[in-house]
Amino acid sequence: MQIYRLGDEGPEILDIQHRLIELGFTLPDGEAGTYGQETRDAVRAFQAQRSLRVDGIVGPDTWGQLVEAGFRLGDRTLYVHAPFLRGDDVRALQRKLDALGFDPGKQDGVYGPATNAALREFQRNVGDEVDGVVGLHTIATLERMRPLEDAPGRGIVRETEQLRSNRSLLDGHVIAVDPGLEPFEPGTANIHLALARAVAAELARLGAKPEILRDGADQLAPSTRAAMANALDAAACVSLHLGEGVPEASGPTCSYFGSQATHSPAGRHLAELILEELEHELRLRGRMQRLTVSMLRETRMPAVQVEALAASNEIEAALLRAPDATARIGRAIAEGVRRFFED
């Protein structure tokens, strides 16, 4: 899709503004159809609410979640559909099922196989027709049920147990390596690919089977790249990016799937280990954060978005220009992945 940012004009901007207003954001009449400062501020506030990258740019992830935010449970019938239905209504359904002890997988707002299986199990338990269709009757039945109080979601419990029990060697595991290229990272395709190749080389040296998700400057949508990682049946996914050059974002940042309501324990642990290795290798203090971007939300394996350095930050740009920079970053990330499987 086209990317929309400060200064753009047209009917698409008006559509974005109408969606923001419907979600409770206030915009001045004078900006109607024009992507002005207050529209950008509203987009940034929306992105912060949704655990998206806060950049004030409407790209695929932000646009998709603007659309999804307009759905409430009961607005439409939910069922398995190709492509999968997405929206806040699906997310509300997943929260209800999770609170009742039925595991819908990630609370990702996508009505996929795991959510369908949880819904069918709920229908079977309450004696309803087991059809995997969420209509008004099923919603009314869900509303009458008493949720478990202060209990962690089934998906979080399941992932946590898998972390404790599924230790194995990295050797032979397929690892998806995504040279992420987003609208906020113009002109950096070569750096992304160099980093991806360095990570892949180190992973191969450690015995893994790395698969780079794109080559060249292909602008594949995040959802497409997530689907590619799923099709590989990868054991983990590492998406490589460059951070923004602002003081609070300096140093490495490792992100995992999560929002204010839920998160991926496996993704968090993988992010922790990679961050530890990057901090040790680069001698820079980093941070972790939860994000709901497609590469973390739609992948079925533990996934991490890694921003090793910020190319627009003068000090870190100098680090990136060093002859051994990509090799050092690749070594650190690969070691973090190895520890995830073997420690």
Side-chain angles (χ1 to χ4, degrees):
M1 67 165 283
Q2 187 174 340
I3 307 304
Y4 301 101
R5 63 185 80 211
L6 191 66
D8 288 343
E9 298 180 347
E12 298 87 356
I13 305 305
L14 195 59
D15 188 7
I16 291 169
Q17 291 168 332
H18 284 162
R19 293 179 186 277
L20 288 167
I21 290 169
E22 288 174 1
L23 294 172
F25 295 94
T26 302
L27 294 173
D29 292 339
E31 279 194 9
T34 300
Y35 204 124
Q37 183 64 52
E38 294 197 46
T39 299
R40 185 176 71 168
D41 289 346
V43 169
R44 288 175 63 88
F46 173 78
Q47 290 170 328
Q49 286 181 3
R50 308 286 292 198
S51 298
L52 293 166
R53 186 184 179 107
V54 180
D55 57 12
I57 296 172
V58 179
D61 280 313
T62 298
W63 169 251
Q65 293 211 31
L66 275 170
V67 173
E68 292 176 24
F71 290 106
R72 297 291 177 268
L73 191 58
D75 285 354
R76 57 181 175 169
T77 301
L78 299 175
Y79 55 96
V80 175
H81 180 275
F84 295 144
L85 297 175
R86 300 161 180 258
D88 280 17
D89 52 348
V90 179
R91 194 172 285 106
L93 170 68
Q94 291 169 330
R95 281 198 299 268
K96 289 180 181 296
L97 289 169
D98 221 346
L100 292 169
F102 300 93
D103 183 3
K106 283 181 181 176
Q107 290 182 25
D108 55 9
V110 180
Y111 195 96
T115 301
N116 182 57
L119 187 277
R120 287 174 175 270
E121 185 62 22
F122 168 76
Q123 291 175 324
R124 187 175 296 109
N125 273 260
V126 298
D128 283 349
E129 180 182 0
V130 182
D131 58 7
V133 175
V134 185
L136 294 178
H137 171 74
T138 297
I139 293 171
T141 306
L142 279 164
E143 296 289 355
R144 289 197 301 270
M145 298 292 105
R146 187 182 186 88
L148 300 173
E149 297 293 338
D150 300 323
R154 295 291 301 165
I156 291 177
V157 171
R158 172 177 41 77
E159 266 197 46
T160 302
E161 288 303 317
Q162 288 173 345
L163 271 177
R164 291 171 179 164
S165 59
N166 287 357
R167 286 287 175 258
S168 62
L169 294 176
L170 175 62
D171 189 60
H173 282 299
V174 175
I175 309 297
V177 181
D178 171 42
L181 185 60
E182 306 295 357
F184 45 79
E185 301 168 303
T188 59
N190 290 338
I191 299 175
H192 287 78
L193 286 170
L195 287 172
R197 289 165 182 157
V199 171
E202 283 296 319
L203 286 169
R205 185 182 66 80
L206 293 171
K209 296 180 179 178
E211 292 285 349
I212 298 178
L213 297 183
R214 69 170 180 85
D215 200 2
D218 305 338
Q219 285 278 11
L220 299 177
S223 288
T224 301
R225 304 197 312 266
M228 292 169 67
N230 290 336
L232 290 169
D233 197 23
C237 177
V238 179
S239 184
L240 302 167
H241 295 259
L242 296 175
E244 290 183 298
V246 294
E248 62 268 26
S250 62
T253 299
C254 291
S255 307
Y256 57 98
F257 173 74
S259 64
Q260 296 177 4
T262 188
H263 73 284
S264 164
R268 178 185 174 88
H269 185 52
L270 178 57
E272 286 173 339
L273 295 174
I274 291 175
L275 183 62
E276 285 178 10
E277 295 298 326
L278 284 170
E279 287 180 327
H280 176 75
E281 181 67 43
L282 300 174
R283 299 293 189 267
L284 290 171
R285 181 72 177 272
R287 65 178 184 139
M288 286 179 32
Q289 65 180 3
R290 298 184 181 192
L291 284 180
T292 59
V293 296
S294 296
M295 281 305 298
L296 306 180
R297 173 189 178 194
E298 298 176 25
T299 42
R300 293 195 298 264
M301 71 293 298
V304 173
Q305 177 173 298
V306 178
E307 300 167 34
L309 292 169
S312 54
N313 178 303
E314 186 176 336
I315 295 174
E316 295 182 13
L319 288 174
L320 272 173
R321 288 193 296 270
D324 63 345
T326 55
R328 291 173 62 200
I329 292 170
R331 183 165 58 247
I333 293 173
E335 178 60 16
V337 174
R338 184 201 66 76
R339 289 176 59 197
F340 176 77
F341 286 94
E342 299 183 5
D343 283 7

